[in-house]
Amino acid sequence: DKAKSFPEGFFYDFLGESRQFVQEGSTLVYTFIFALVVIFLVLAAQYESFRDPFIILVALPTSMFGALIPLNAGLATINIYTQIGLVTLIGLISKHGILMVDFANKLQADKGLSRRAAIEEAAATRLRPILMTTAAMVVAMVPLLIAKGAGAASRFDIGVVIAAGMTIGTIFTLFVTPAVYTFLAKDYQKARAREVEHGLPTSEEAPATGANLPAKAAAQDAQAEAVATLVEETPQQEGHSAEVLAFSSAAAAASTEKDKGRKGGHRPP
């Protein structure tokens, strides 16, 4: 509108940071979407699921909200340095969700806990690593916040975005991620019940060879005892036959001990 009000032959343009923002400001949207898609696909390949990556990244908007607070307060502006900080927050804040979701899935699979019990225990167990990582990252931004001299403004922009985003994002992640996990995560109990209903082997069932180990060990023990009794009842005048039976008894006993060692998870001496 202003350009239309100028006399013929006159025009306006931007200079300095305003010119750079107008020319490259739209690239932030594409860069942010590309980074988000790449992280989502990597997590989907790792967990072999699209639900877990969504749960992990669901708290990302809260981190962006925290990062924009100092910008709205006038401490910094949206420039190339704050844009770098916003993209960096995608990877930093997703780590918190990975810690909780991965541990909660293991609790469901190994201990048979419900989704709510698993995520509550996972959040309590992973609380200290999450807080330690956040504190380390925020403290690492302090030199950027107090920097002086040439380039101090750009360092401050990156530092304030990351520090504010990590602090606010971590606080919300501890509540948002468990709540979303309770409703959207895979329910291992229901999956296990469906497998049993359809007659499919569950992960808790041991292989057939492992299930037959106790019966096999008991049969070998009985065989060894029978051979030992036969050796005791054999008269000494039969010569080497008693020695052969004794050797068979020792071999049977050794085989029994070997199977017991395999069952217990260690080799016999």
Side-chain angles (χ1 to χ4, degrees), residues 32 59-69 85-87 89-90 93 165 169:
F32 191 87
L60 181 61
T62 63
S63 178
M64 298 295 105
F65 167 76
L68 294 177
I69 290 178
L86 291 174
V87 175
L89 280 176
I90 301 176
I93 205 66

Side-chain angles (χ1 to χ4, degrees), residues 99-100 102-103 106 121-131:
L99 289 174
M100 288 188 289
D102 184 66
F103 192 65
K106 290 181 179 179
E121 183 174 347
T125 304
R126 297 302 189 187
L127 176 62
R128 185 170 64 177
I130 290 174
L131 294 181

